[in-house]
Amino acid sequence: MAALASGVAPARAQPPTAPIAALEARYQQWLRSVLGLITKAELDYFLALSDDYRRDAFMEAFWKPRDPDPRTPTNELQRRWQETVASNPGGPTPTDARVRLYLFNGPPGRWGLPDGREVSLCFSRSRELEIWFYNGSERTERRFPVILVQPTASSSYEVWQPGMNLRANQRSGLPTKDVSLLCADELLGYAANEITKVASYERLMEELLTPPQPSPEWLLSLGAASADPPPGAQTFEITDSIDFPARNQSRTGLRVLLRVAREQAPGRELDGVVFHHFVLSGEVIREGRLFESFRYLFEGPTPDDADEIPIGFTRYLRSGPATLRLLVEDRFAGRYAQVVRDIEIPSPEGRPTIPPPAATIAAAGSGPSLRLLEPPAAVLAGRVRFEAIVQGEVDRVTFFLDGKPLLSKRRPPYSAELDLGSAPAPHRVRAVGLAGDLEVATDQLWLNQGAQRFRVRMIEPREGGIYPGGLTVRVEVDTPDGEQPERVEIYVGDQRVTTITEPPYARGLRLPSSRAEVVRALATLADGSSAEDAVVVNTSDFGERIAVQLIELPVLVLGRDGRPVAGLERDRFRIFEDGAPRSFDRFEWTDDLPVTAALLIDRSVSMKPELERVSGAALGFARAALRSPRDRIAVLSFADAPAVDAELTADAGAVERALAGLSAFGRTALYDAVARGVNYLEAESGVKALVLFTDGADESSRIAFDQAVAAAQRSGTSIYTVAPAASFADQASRRVLERLAAESGGSAHWVAAPEDEDGDDLDAVFRSILDELRSRYWLAFQVDPAAGATGYRALRVEVDHPGAVVRARSGYVVDR
């Protein structure tokens, strides 16, 4: 398809000539090559750069935010653009719609005609007219044809719109020798008719013929990585020392120790303790180019008797001359210190070797050891490679996914690519080292889950087993921090048959009959939180594991005044599953539910002006929520990747410290963060909520929006989105947050800037979310094992009350 663009150069803007003329020839040439794509903000930024290494870094980063499909190894837009520029280095400024359509959307696709034929494009035999058929493009999933015409011999091709004249210049010769690419007469009428069926066709064409506009966040991220202080910034003094103490293979360790005098950084008192928070940005320049950049966060208390605050790091670099540029930001004081040093990195020869990572070391005489390495991504889906590091002798390593053996390796490298499914669901990966049939080493990873988990697993009886008259129940319980459960209750059907208060959690019991029964183990901690597992026994199907899940369905009912409605009776509620009515086993109303919530804070670079205000409002939410030991709040944050800043805790001071330590940097991986947040809460019981604050659309996630929605549906976590209205003028971006909230039983909130007195108050939004979380009807039911296959089941709750607005999760996933 590159031939379609032959003979026409990309569109060009008219830049300021004087600043460009002052640049080196290679930078002038690069600017000319991208003038049809580069935005004014990007051009102004590039022209303001004073160092060649920064210009080179800009040029390398320029294409990444314009990649139409980051999952592929090729940047398709960059390839097409550079091919076109290469074939037309000095061509005229074009307005040809064919070129813009091809460059910005890719080639036309395969379109099925009513008679069964497929077509992608065709050329008129007699006129300068072409029809391109797109069954979706790189920029839209919508299906549309495009009729392109050249009105006169001296004009460029343009897009025909309904209502326009369809006159086209006469052809002087056939454009192709391939007869199959020549248009039949009826295709023109067919394409024109199909165009009338495309909603807002004129607007769609305007969008698709305009160069893609990347989010300005990439430019902000590039600037934030700089080791130069902002113009006019306040500064403070810092001292430095540099040495080269060790080596790592062929590289030498560069150790830097920075010291800040105590009076230069007073810190901030948090929960009675003075804390400091520094952000260090660094650059290493070699041979006039940016060799690497890095960033560290240093936070925590400093002893009262310390005169200096130390900040240190080590990096491993190859020998030779380099320039080291460091910028230290005191986040609490809003001041900066800069260090610039020309250094000579010595040869690593003769220097001590750093020890290998602890994961690869086995204690002497301990026998074989095995360590599963954690994948780098925080949210995992699709095919993921896992590697086991083995010390000592084993015959083979077997990999298990969720208890099922999938693959054995008899020689290193002991690695396996496992399919985790399309949605980022919780999984357990286990690797076992075997000598003969004897298990001699093992390790496991819990994926897409919170660090502190409360789990119950029924070891016996086995699923689908036949137990005439009686059986033995044996239960494993994993609790946060190894806390012993207060009790483990065993149920047969709805009848509690025994309670166990001390391990081992095992009992023999008789069954009331030989019919199929649900055997359930319910473990409860001292704070009232619970977890359970269940199996079906005495079934005729020996080969299939039947899922037994308890679906907890918190339901919020709001009246006409927007406030929760209390006191409704059970018979006012109806649940529909996949459109069919179904019964529910538990019903309760409470306005004092314990709160389990994760605050998910966007800390991408565009959030820098808002981060302090958001953190303050989030802290107010946490303090209001933490009324009893049963209430728990976690702090998660995200930019390019999600992170857990504070585990679930009843300590408001821990939440305050986590929020105070947030620092804006990087781009927005919204969908990854949502999946990480709901999976973090997935095993928690009761009402659980993810309170998300973000100022932007997704920029860099590894997973798709639908996968994030599927993770929310699986988790049973209500998502409350809070976003500045000004950042979401685009309706498509608004719908993303609104759907995340609606699908999970939460709500979307839009807040105005602080100076806008007519907008929603951020603190008031957080208060209303907290009121909703505590005031719920509590419905629950067990999944019917015979109701169908695994997968998604849609739910709808109806309430017989005038003007009621009902919020509840829209479905759940049967996954076993």
Side-chain angles (χ1 to χ4, degrees):
M1 291 302 301
L4 289 172
S6 179
V8 190
R12 299 176 182 177
Q14 295 300 320
T17 56
I20 290 183
L23 297 174
E24 288 184 21
R26 64 189 180 103
Y27 297 125
Q28 294 186 40
Q29 182 179 356
W30 182 82
L31 276 178
R32 285 195 295 268
S33 74
V34 297
L35 284 180
L37 283 179
I38 195 168
T39 66
K40 184 179 185 304
E42 291 168 339
L43 180 59
D44 291 344
Y45 182 94
F46 185 82
L47 294 176
L49 294 174
S50 57
D51 299 298
D52 284 352
Y53 78 89
R54 297 197 192 283
R55 296 187 184 100
D56 293 333
F58 179 98
M59 290 158 55
E60 290 176 6
F62 176 81
W63 288 103
K64 186 176 181 180
R66 292 171 164 82
D67 190 349
D69 189 354
R71 297 169 297 181
T72 63
T74 301
N75 186 323
E76 293 82 5
L77 174 60
Q78 180 182 6
R79 175 181 55 79
R80 291 192 299 266
W81 188 271
Q82 291 177 341
E83 286 175 352
T84 303
V85 170
S87 62
N88 301 274
T93 301
T95 56
D96 197 300
R98 296 173 303 169
V99 181
R100 299 202 305 276
L101 191 64
Y102 168 69
L103 287 174
F104 304 148
N105 300 274
R110 304 298 299 177
W111 181 293
L113 295 173
D115 60 7
R117 291 179 297 151
E118 282 192 342
V119 63
S120 59
L121 81 165
C122 66
F123 304 94
S124 168
R125 288 180 169 85
S126 58
R127 293 180 290 172
E128 291 289 345
L129 181 148
E130 302 176 10
I131 309 173
W132 293 19
F133 294 91
Y134 280 92
N135 199 2
S137 78
E138 291 174 354
R139 297 177 68 184
T140 179
E141 295 181 354
R142 297 176 65 181
R143 170 181 161 101
F144 60 93
V146 184
I147 299 175
L148 298 139
V149 297
Q150 184 191 46
T152 66
S154 60
S155 62
S156 299
Y157 268 74
E158 58 187 46
V159 172
W160 177 83
Q161 306 269 7
M164 292 174 56
N165 197 315
L166 200 51
R167 288 199 302 266
N169 181 42
Q170 294 296 312
R171 287 200 186 278
S172 58
L174 288 177
T176 177
K177 294 180 181 179
D178 188 344
V179 177
S180 67
L181 294 179
L182 297 178
C183 293
D185 292 339
E186 68 273 11
L187 269 186
L188 182 59
Y190 169 77
N193 184 58
E194 289 296 305
I195 287 172
T196 63
K197 300 177 183 178
V198 179
S200 305
Y201 184 78
E202 182 177 357
R203 181 178 177 183
L204 176 65
M205 288 298 102
E206 182 180 357
E207 292 174 356
L208 298 182
L209 292 173
T210 301
Q213 299 292 306
S215 164
E217 204 166 61
W218 88 270
L219 202 59
L220 292 171
S221 297
L222 196 65
S226 168
D228 287 334
Q234 293 185 351
T235 61
F236 64 93
E237 296 297 323
I238 195 168
T239 60
D240 65 277
S241 62
I242 297 174
D243 65 348
F244 307 94
R247 67 184 176 94
N248 181 8
Q249 298 180 357
S250 62
R251 298 202 171 200
T252 302
L254 163 70
R255 182 168 64 185
V256 177
L257 179 61
L258 306 173
R259 296 181 178 87
V260 183
R262 189 62 175 267
E263 63 269 16
Q264 292 282 326
R268 179 183 296 176
E269 185 173 319
L270 301 172
D271 200 25
V273 179
V274 176
F275 279 77
H276 299 274
H277 182 49
F278 298 98
V279 179
L280 186 151
S281 301
E283 297 173 328
V284 178
I285 296 94
R286 311 193 72 143
E287 299 173 353
R289 295 185 65 84
L290 181 63
F291 178 72
E292 70 173 22
S293 60
F294 49 89
R295 193 168 186 265
Y296 296 109
L297 302 181
F298 299 89
E299 54 185 335
T302 300
D304 292 336
D305 57 351
D307 295 328
E308 294 181 323
I309 304 166
I311 302 173
F313 68 91
T314 301
R315 297 191 72 81
Y316 291 88
L317 305 169
R318 56 183 173 84
S319 58
T323 298
L324 178 67
R325 301 174 65 93
L326 304 175
L327 180 70
V328 178
E329 178 189 1
D330 182 346
R331 288 274 295 118
F332 290 158
R335 300 194 300 165
Y336 297 81
Q338 187 179 39
V339 175
V340 180
R341 296 286 182 266
D342 291 325
I343 57 176
E344 181 71 32
I345 302 169
S347 167
E349 296 300 324
R351 297 179 189 278
T353 302
I354 63 168
T360 65
I361 299 176
S366 63
S369 69
L370 183 151
R371 175 70 176 261
L372 265 175
L373 301 184
E374 292 219 29
V379 179
L380 298 167
R383 302 196 69 84
V384 178
R385 181 161 293 279
F386 294 88
E387 182 175 2
I389 304 298
V390 176
Q391 294 287 320
E393 295 296 325
V394 299
D395 293 334
R396 66 188 183 278
V397 173
T398 300
F399 290 86
F400 294 76
L401 178 61
D402 299 327
K404 298 178 181 178
L406 296 183
L407 179 69
S408 292
K409 299 292 288 290
R410 293 188 174 275
R411 60 181 61 87
Y414 297 110
S415 62
E417 189 175 74
L418 306 182
D419 188 354
L420 304 183
S422 59
H427 294 287
R428 182 177 64 145
V429 173
R430 184 170 178 245
V432 176
L434 296 160
D437 293 329
L438 180 66
E439 180 178 315
V440 294
T442 185
D443 193 16
Q444 65 183 2
L445 298 173
W446 294 94
L447 310 178
N448 298 329
Q449 305 184 32
Q452 298 194 19
R453 306 280 293 175
F454 183 16
R455 307 180 184 90
V456 173
R457 184 183 176 211
M458 189 86 75
I459 305 301
E460 295 181 26
R462 62 181 176 84
E463 185 73 42
I466 303 298
Y467 300 91
L471 51 76
T472 297
V473 173
R474 186 162 61 92
V475 178
E476 283 186 357
V477 181
D478 294 327
T479 61
D481 301 323
E483 176 187 358
Q484 183 172 312
E486 189 175 77
R487 62 187 182 276
V488 175
E489 298 166 295
I490 307 300
Y491 290 79
V492 176
D494 293 329
Q495 182 69 38
R496 184 177 62 191
V497 295
T498 187
T499 300
I500 312 170
T501 58
E502 297 286 341
Y505 303 108
R507 284 288 189 277
L509 57 90
R510 296 191 61 80
L511 295 177
S513 70
S514 59
R515 68 174 184 269
E517 295 280 5
V518 176
V519 180
R520 180 163 58 95
L522 174 67
T524 304
L525 299 181
D527 65 4
S529 56
S530 62
E532 66 179 275
D533 191 21
V535 297
V536 178
V537 299
N538 292 341
T539 63
S540 58
D541 189 344
F542 292 93
E544 180 181 3
R545 175 172 174 84
I546 301 176
V548 180
Q549 293 175 257
L550 180 71
I551 302 301
E552 297 175 323
L553 193 61
V555 177
L556 175 67
V557 182
L558 299 175
R560 290 193 175 98
D561 60 356
R563 302 289 299 167
V565 177
L568 298 178
E569 299 296 329
R570 178 187 181 117
D571 59 6
R572 297 289 188 96
F573 289 77
R574 292 204 299 166
I575 300 177
F576 296 86
E577 181 179 297
D578 288 337
R582 69 150 302 143
S583 61
F584 49 95
D585 305 316
R586 303 181 192 175
F587 176 84
E588 181 184 5
W589 154 260
T590 178
D591 59 359
D592 194 28
L593 285 168
V595 170
T596 302
L599 299 169
L600 181 59
I601 310 295
D602 181 352
R603 54 173 166 76
S604 61
V605 67
S606 60
M607 276 288 294
K608 192 166 188 176
E610 291 284 330
L611 202 51
E612 187 168 349
R613 181 170 77 107
V614 171
S615 296
L619 178 59
F621 173 88
R623 284 175 171 160
L626 295 174
R627 301 193 313 198
S628 77
R630 296 183 64 189
D631 298 317
R632 293 180 298 157
I633 300 291
V635 179
L636 285 72
S637 63
F638 68 97
D640 297 291
V644 179
D645 301 285
E647 298 281 3
L648 282 169
T649 179
D651 180 5
V655 174
E656 181 180 13
R657 291 191 294 273
L659 291 169
L662 297 182
S663 182
F665 189 81
R667 300 175 66 194
T668 305
L670 176 62
Y671 306 151
D672 285 357
V674 168
R676 177 71 174 100
V678 297
N679 285 335
Y680 178 86
L681 295 172
E682 189 266 343
E684 302 298 326
S685 59
V687 173
K688 48 195 178 182
L690 187 70
V691 183
L692 163 68
F693 191 99
T694 180
D695 75 333
D698 187 86
E699 292 288 332
S700 55
S701 284
R702 293 178 174 86
I703 68 169
F705 171 68
D706 287 342
Q707 291 175 296
V709 171
Q713 291 167 338
R714 179 186 300 273
S715 167
T717 298
S718 299
I719 300 176
Y720 290 84
T721 65
V722 185
S727 297
F728 284 87
D730 173 44
Q731 291 300 312
S733 298
R734 276 185 172 242
R735 284 194 293 271
V736 166
L737 297 188
E738 289 168 350
R739 184 181 166 196
L740 279 173
E743 295 276 2
S744 62
S747 56
H749 300 267
W750 309 99
V751 297
E755 63 273 9
D756 188 348
E757 297 180 357
D758 297 329
D760 290 339
D761 177 71
L762 185 55
D763 293 293
V765 166
F766 280 131
R767 285 195 299 271
S768 71
I769 292 173
L770 185 57
D771 287 344
E772 291 185 8
L773 289 178
R774 293 203 187 276
S775 306
R776 298 290 178 111
Y777 291 89
W778 195 252
L779 285 65
F781 60 89
Q782 286 189 344
V783 177
D784 181 0
T790 60
Y792 178 71
R793 298 184 186 179
L795 290 177
R796 187 177 82 255
V797 179
E798 293 183 355
V799 177
D800 181 14
H801 182 76
V805 175
V806 181
R807 289 189 192 151
R809 59 194 288 197
S810 63
Y812 67 95
V813 176
V814 180
D815 55 6
R816 291 188 300 176

